[in-house]
Amino acid sequence: MAKKEVNKKILKARRKKRVRAKIFGTAKKPRISVFRSARHLFIQLIDDQKGVTVVSAKDTEIKAGKDKKTDLAFKTGELLGAKAQKLGITEAVFDKSSYQYHGRVKAVADGARKAGLKF
């Protein structure tokens, strides 16, 4: 049983490394990093040249009643896009990390696009 857990972690790390090898954020075009846990969602715009988080958003910033997780992810993406627009950021590169591009991760991307960010 423990061997299977180690393999899952190794495979997830490989997927993340493979995605990050192709993506690099700059000050003009930062990287959108997505982290999702079982309950919450955290998004950051990162300038990899300086190693600095430019803007961040999390789903707990949004007052949501009985919203589904995907609806909340969409709103969080919109919030990140709005914060980025205030700073004059219009373009970004999307880092899905080791997650599949569907569900909450896709909803974040759609929300950020609706707010005006271009990938």
Side-chain angles (χ1 to χ4, degrees), residues 47-97:
D47 177 1
D48 287 322
Q49 288 176 331
K50 295 180 183 175
V52 182
T53 298
V54 181
V55 178
S56 67
K58 52 188 172 185
D59 62 352
T60 55
E61 294 178 33
I62 299 169
K63 305 288 186 240
K66 295 280 183 175
D67 284 347
K68 293 181 181 178
K69 290 180 185 178
T70 50
D71 296 336
L72 198 56
F74 184 82
K75 291 177 184 177
T76 308
E78 285 183 321
L79 177 65
L80 182 81
K83 286 182 177 182
Q85 290 291 331
K86 285 182 184 177
L87 293 176
I89 299 170
T90 57
E91 290 187 321
V93 284
F94 192 76
D95 177 12
K96 66 181 186 65
S97 190

Side-chain angles (χ1 to χ4, degrees), residues 11-30:
L11 292 174
K12 186 174 181 177
R14 278 187 198 162
R15 282 193 306 269
K16 184 175 183 176
K17 189 176 178 181
R18 185 171 52 234
V19 170
R20 284 291 309 278
K22 301 171 188 174
I23 296 173
F24 190 80
T26 62
K28 290 185 179 182
K29 198 171 181 178

